[in-house]
Amino acid sequence: MSETALLEIGVEEFPPSCVEETLAQLKEKAEELFVEFRLDYQKIATYGSSRRLILWVEGLSSRQREKIEKEMGPPKAMVLNEKGELTRSGERYLKAKGARIEDLGVERTKKGEYVYIRRQTPGERTENVLPLIFVQLISSLRFSKSMRWGREKFYFERPIRYLLAIFGKKVIKFKIAGVTSDRKTVGHRYLSPRPFCIESPQEYLEVLRRRWVIVDPEERKRRIVSQMKRITSSLRGKGYRATVLEDEELLKEMIYLAEYPTLFLGRFDRRFLSLPFPILRACLRDYQKHFSVVDGDRPLPYFLGVREGNRKHIKEVVEGNQRVLKARLTDAEFFFEEDKKIPLDQRVPLLKEVVVQKKLGSYYDKTMRLVKLAGKLASCLGEDEKVKRRVERAAYLCKADITTQVVREFPELQGMMGREYALYFGEDSTVAQAIFEHKMPYFNQEEFPKTTEGAILALVDRVDTLVGSFWAGLIPSGSEDPWGLRREAQIVVNIILQRNWKISLDYLIEECLKLYGKKEESGKSKLKDFFRTRLINLLRDKGMKVDQIRAVLKVGFEDLQDVLKRAEALYKASLRENFKEEVIAIIRVMNILKQAVQRKITISEEVQEELLTEKEERDLYFCWKKIEERVNLLLRDQRYLEAYKLITLLQDPIHRFFDKVLVMSEDEKLRANRLSLLNRIRNPLLRIADFTELQVK
């Protein structure tokens, strides 16, 4: 027989941004625990909101599966004679183990035949096991920030206020964080806040719905989206092609924040449409959690709000939201007009009073570094003087909007407002666009700079942040990354790859360190390892195996474009039918040269033909000479797969060489010459990958 198990963790309001991840953890950990505790089930699902986390286990067996274990014992000859009867030592063995002869089995191993004891442990009733599972499950959840409350030593994202735990119609009793489980839950926080009992999981969803709670986030999403479409379609009768501005982040927040979402349409005075759209959107989105309504690229004087609850008194709700929004927009309008009284370039000296971080100085210091770095990078990339002047001007102005009242009120508008002010004060449009693009991507989008000036500035800004942070010791550890440095490093990698720039990470880091006046190799090394991890993630996403990634990165990752080309070549080579045999031959060459290095044997670059005494070494040498020039040309042009294929023509000559020729000859001249020959073959291969890192056995 099977039943449905239900666990609801009632909490003080979670940040909506962490609910989805917590529900994913809840499901994953539950699946692990039910396997560990030998409990069969048909389906595990999780639901919830900011106020409740729900585990739903359908078709859960009423009892654990029996546990059958094999306990290996001594050799068969010690326990059983040829007739299969117990020996004296066998009798003593069974007595010591509390087993019977019927429990014995025999298993043939590499060492011979051994006996084992079969031990069967009957399964517990599920209702007796669930308390332990639920306690372990709740305790296993991890959060970026946790809190402790009362006298308990238990940590959780927010305090746990009640626990509903039932299996079929039975309450599963346990206690955690000072809270004892029961069959009670609560409805909507405003419309049905009183506790009530749930008799069985089958009635749970419908009973909560009657109390204004939709527990399934996907259903809440469908409800929000359908209401959006219905409301915006009503505006089309007024001559608008109205749509809701796409905002997945805000949508997700509202899905987990509202347990019974009801949308409403509000409007604001048309005069506020004269505000730059970033300001308008920030007032709607960040303060009020409202969705912007647009007609193509043109904002409309409407917004969509999400009410937590039903439509009762909705008119008053709309009026209240419009009243608050008007006050916000009026303030923003005032801030914007005040900001326009000071030209953007006159704001740059004001950055001396704005500290980035105690060790890193002010934003003025950062601005001066960016001007120098941007100019150097533009020259390094071969850009003309016009591009260099524009990017230096953009670097000089890009942080000035931090001192404006609008950006102080809406910090996420940095860069966006910089463009608005730059255009207002007559700066070159490309300079203004570069100021905007240096903070891209915005709002968790994946849109990167389109202009060369914007890409250069976005790159040096992030490299400066990374170098400074690592020098100051602000290095991410574990899940902690308060400065968002992982994302910044990933954006650096993406910009270089998207722009197809051939530029060294070492160059970028060293030039930045010079401007900090530092030459700390430890910080540089840690930052390079940090970038290396970003590349590992990138290559893993492209389907490469761990050993292939190691092989590619082992020979360097200064040139990111080159890394991708080498990785792609190795991946395609790995799909070849004879890849294993080809790599074995290559590894034989590389391994013996590693031995030579360990023994501190000097290896010359030149091969002396007169010292090639054996037929097999002459064959290998002349085979290599035929392809050497072509291989080097292919490598120069980064045609790595073609170079690899050409080198693998030496597979058979390499094997014959190792089978017939003693490389480590006692004759020093012969030994050195043979190692030089192998070295000539190995060096081009190391421009692709370190093949000794591959697991091909």
Side-chain angles (χ1 to χ4, degrees):
M1 291 181 63
S2 63
E3 293 279 4
T4 298
L6 171 64
L7 172 67
E8 180 188 321
I9 308 167
V11 293
E12 286 191 11
E13 197 164 289
F14 265 41
S17 58
C18 82
V19 178
E20 185 178 36
E21 166 62 24
T22 304
L23 292 178
Q25 277 193 67
L26 189 65
K27 186 175 188 292
E28 181 183 345
K29 300 290 185 183
E31 289 170 344
E32 292 173 2
L33 285 168
F34 282 113
V35 170
E36 180 184 336
F37 280 86
R38 310 190 314 280
L39 285 171
D40 296 324
Y41 60 86
Q42 293 175 2
K43 172 188 171 184
I44 288 183
T46 52
Y47 308 107
S49 66
S50 293
R51 298 179 61 77
R52 67 189 83 219
L53 310 171
I54 301 157
L55 176 71
W56 180 277
V57 188
E58 208 168 285
L60 183 61
S61 59
S62 59
R63 185 178 288 275
Q64 288 177 303
R65 293 190 308 277
E66 284 188 336
K67 185 178 181 181
I68 301 175
E69 295 177 300
K70 286 199 307 186
E71 182 182 330
M72 295 304 295
K76 175 186 174 184
M78 291 180 60
V79 179
L80 300 171
N81 60 26
E82 294 178 356
K83 297 179 180 180
E85 299 168 340
L86 285 172
T87 62
R88 294 292 297 275
S89 59
E91 290 174 354
R92 290 195 296 271
Y93 170 70
L94 287 183
K95 184 177 180 181
K97 294 292 184 180
R100 302 170 301 168
I101 190 170
E102 291 84 0
D103 300 327
L104 284 180
V106 177
E107 183 172 314
R108 186 179 297 277
T109 70
K110 292 180 180 179
K111 296 181 180 180
E113 291 186 314
Y114 281 72
V115 299
Y116 63 84
I117 296 175
R118 286 185 297 269
R119 295 196 183 276
Q120 288 181 280
T121 305
E124 280 274 357
R125 293 176 64 85
T126 299
E127 61 199 72
N128 297 334
V129 180
L130 281 177
L132 181 59
I133 292 177
F134 286 162
V135 169
Q136 287 191 30
L137 178 59
I138 296 170
S139 301
S140 71
L141 299 178
R142 294 291 176 263
F143 308 94
S144 57
K145 291 183 179 179
S146 298
M147 62 183 296
R148 184 170 65 86
W149 60 96
R151 296 182 179 179
E152 295 289 327
K153 294 183 178 180
F154 181 80
Y155 286 84
F156 212 64
E157 175 71 31
R158 292 290 186 272
I160 295 174
R161 290 309 182 208
Y162 68 88
L163 293 163
L164 163 69
I166 50 179
F167 177 54
K169 293 188 176 182
K170 297 178 181 177
V171 175
I172 302 301
K173 283 287 185 180
F174 65 94
K175 186 176 182 179
I176 191 169
V179 180
T180 302
S181 61
D182 204 337
R183 62 169 72 248
K184 290 182 179 179
T185 184
V186 294
H188 191 276
R189 63 192 301 184
Y190 305 128
L191 304 176
S192 182
R194 291 184 179 179
F196 60 93
C197 292
I198 294 291
E199 295 302 321
S200 71
Q202 283 69 31
E203 70 174 39
Y204 175 76
L205 299 178
E206 188 53 39
V207 170
L208 275 175
R209 186 185 296 276
R210 291 200 300 269
R211 286 169 170 78
W212 308 100
V213 174
I214 300 171
V215 299
D216 185 355
E218 283 301 314
E219 185 180 348
R220 295 198 297 271
K221 180 179 181 179
R222 290 193 296 271
R223 179 179 170 84
I224 290 173
V225 171
S226 66
Q227 290 181 77
M228 281 180 174
K229 291 178 179 177
R230 178 174 54 78
I231 293 172
T232 53
S233 65
S234 69
L235 290 174
R236 289 168 192 162
K238 299 180 180 181
Y240 299 120
R241 294 173 299 164
T243 57
V244 175
L245 184 68
E246 187 174 331
D247 192 333
E248 283 297 321
E249 189 178 356
L250 180 58
L251 176 60
K252 186 177 290 187
E253 183 175 356
M254 300 316 298
I255 287 168
Y256 290 109
L257 195 60
E259 293 192 316
Y260 196 86
T262 297
L263 269 67
F264 59 88
L265 177 68
R267 63 174 300 148
F268 54 87
D269 196 311
R270 280 184 171 276
R271 88 166 197 265
F272 294 119
L273 292 177
S274 63
L275 286 170
F277 185 55
I279 297 180
L280 191 60
R281 187 186 183 204
C283 288
L284 288 165
R285 182 185 194 275
D286 298 342
Y287 277 126
Q288 303 297 110
K289 306 299 181 187
H290 293 333
F291 293 90
S292 298
V293 180
V294 295
D295 181 349
D297 295 332
R298 182 168 60 98
L300 295 175
Y302 298 97
F303 64 87
L304 289 184
V306 180
R307 185 198 189 180
E308 167 65 303
N310 57 20
R311 300 196 67 82
K312 190 175 182 180
H313 305 302
I314 196 73
K315 183 180 178 182
E316 289 86 344
V317 171
V318 174
E319 290 172 352
N321 276 268
Q322 289 179 163
R323 189 165 52 250
V324 173
L325 179 60
K326 182 180 180 180
R328 298 290 187 197
L329 290 171
T330 302
D331 287 346
E333 185 180 49
F334 172 77
F335 294 150
F336 184 53
E337 292 303 319
E338 287 295 302
D339 289 340
K340 290 192 293 185
K341 293 177 181 178
I342 303 176
L344 199 59
D345 56 359
Q346 291 183 23
R347 289 185 174 276
V348 175
L350 302 178
L351 292 170
K352 294 176 181 179
E353 305 302 318
V354 186
V355 176
V356 178
Q357 199 271 342
K358 187 176 180 181
K359 285 188 177 181
L360 303 181
S362 69
Y363 271 99
Y364 182 82
D365 299 325
K366 182 178 179 70
T367 295
M368 296 301 105
R369 290 194 301 270
L370 292 184
V371 172
K372 293 176 183 177
L373 278 173
K376 284 186 177 181
L377 182 55
S379 298
C380 178
L381 294 170
E383 300 296 338
D384 61 33
E385 279 301 312
K386 289 182 179 178
V387 172
K388 184 178 177 182
R389 284 197 299 273
R390 285 196 296 263
V391 77
E392 286 176 338
R393 181 63 175 172
Y396 182 73
L397 298 173
C398 70
K399 300 300 178 185
D401 64 351
I402 292 174
T403 66
T404 64
Q405 294 188 62
V406 169
V407 174
R408 285 174 185 164
E409 189 73 11
F410 304 104
E412 70 281 2
L413 296 188
Q414 186 194 345
M416 295 184 194
M417 292 310 302
R419 176 176 63 178
E420 298 295 333
Y421 295 126
L423 291 172
Y424 178 80
F425 290 111
E427 295 289 340
D428 184 286
S429 60
T430 306
V431 170
Q433 185 64 16
I435 293 171
F436 170 75
E437 290 180 343
H438 96 282
K439 293 297 290 182
M440 293 177 79
Y442 290 101
F443 299 127
N444 290 329
Q445 296 173 355
E446 292 305 320
E447 189 177 358
F448 287 86
K450 291 183 173 61
T451 67
T452 300
E453 292 86 350
I456 290 173
L457 188 52
L459 184 65
V460 297
D461 181 35
R462 288 173 169 89
V463 171
D464 178 80
T465 296
L466 288 160
V467 169
S469 298
F470 272 70
W471 166 70
L474 307 172
I475 303 173
S477 60
S479 61
E480 297 294 320
D481 186 11
W483 286 59
L485 298 183
R486 292 187 180 94
R487 176 172 166 78
E488 297 288 73
Q490 193 64 58
I491 291 172
V492 168
V493 170
N494 289 344
I495 289 174
I496 292 174
L497 294 177
Q498 287 187 1
R499 305 293 299 188
N500 200 24
W501 282 340
K502 191 174 180 64
I503 186 167
S504 162
L505 284 175
D506 260 350
Y507 170 79
L508 290 171
I509 295 169
E510 286 168 4
E511 288 299 319
C512 196
L513 278 171
K514 287 178 187 176
L515 296 176
Y516 276 101
K518 302 295 175 183
K519 293 185 178 180
E520 296 192 15
E521 288 300 318
S522 62
K524 176 183 171 183
S525 175
K526 288 177 181 177
L527 182 52
K528 286 191 68 177
D529 285 342
F530 194 65
F531 275 114
R532 185 177 183 275
T533 304
R534 311 283 78 75
L535 283 170
I536 289 171
N537 295 336
L538 180 69
L539 296 176
R540 188 182 292 133
D541 290 343
K542 291 182 177 292
M544 291 194 68
K545 296 179 181 177
V546 174
D547 61 324
Q548 294 171 351
I549 296 171
R550 279 202 308 266
V552 169
L553 298 183
K554 183 79 174 285
V555 298
F557 53 92
E558 293 302 311
D559 184 340
L560 301 185
Q561 296 291 345
D562 190 61
V563 169
L564 276 194
K565 290 177 180 177
R566 290 189 289 112
E568 182 182 12
L570 182 59
Y571 177 73
K572 288 181 177 178
S574 71
L575 303 177
R576 286 163 58 87
E577 186 177 350
N578 297 321
F579 180 67
K580 178 179 177 180
E581 290 72 21
E582 292 166 354
V583 171
I584 288 172
I586 292 170
I587 288 175
R588 293 185 82 174
V589 173
M590 291 188 167
N591 279 343
I592 200 162
L593 288 166
K594 283 185 177 181
Q595 292 176 27
V597 171
Q598 290 168 0
R599 292 168 61 175
K600 298 181 180 179
I601 298 173
T602 303
I603 303 174
S604 171
E605 291 295 322
E606 297 299 322
V607 178
Q608 299 179 50
E609 290 187 31
E610 66 274 12
L611 292 178
L612 300 172
T613 59
E614 303 291 339
K615 176 181 181 300
E616 289 76 15
E617 61 184 328
R618 289 196 302 274
D619 289 347
L620 179 59
Y621 174 72
F622 288 113
C623 285
W624 170 245
K625 288 294 288 181
K626 287 180 184 177
I627 65 172
E628 183 177 21
E629 185 177 352
R630 176 66 178 155
V631 166
N632 287 330
L633 287 173
L634 290 170
L635 291 173
R636 185 197 65 188
D637 296 338
Q638 296 181 307
R639 293 159 66 182
Y640 294 115
L641 182 59
E642 293 176 61
Y644 169 83
K645 289 178 180 177
L646 203 53
I647 296 172
T648 56
L649 295 175
L650 302 177
Q651 178 184 332
D652 291 337
I654 287 172
H655 284 310
R656 287 196 295 270
F657 173 84
F658 278 103
D659 292 343
K660 299 295 184 179
V661 178
L662 180 61
V663 179
M664 294 301 189
S665 170
E666 293 182 4
D667 186 318
E668 289 186 13
K669 289 184 178 180
L670 290 179
R671 180 179 65 212
N673 202 52
R674 288 164 183 170
L675 289 170
S676 295
L677 170 58
L678 296 175
N679 194 47
R680 290 278 288 275
I681 297 170
R682 178 196 64 172
N683 286 344
L685 287 163
L686 285 177
R687 290 173 66 181
I688 304 173
D690 185 344
F691 289 83
T692 60
E693 293 290 335
L694 298 178
Q695 298 175 359
V696 293
K697 294 182 180 180

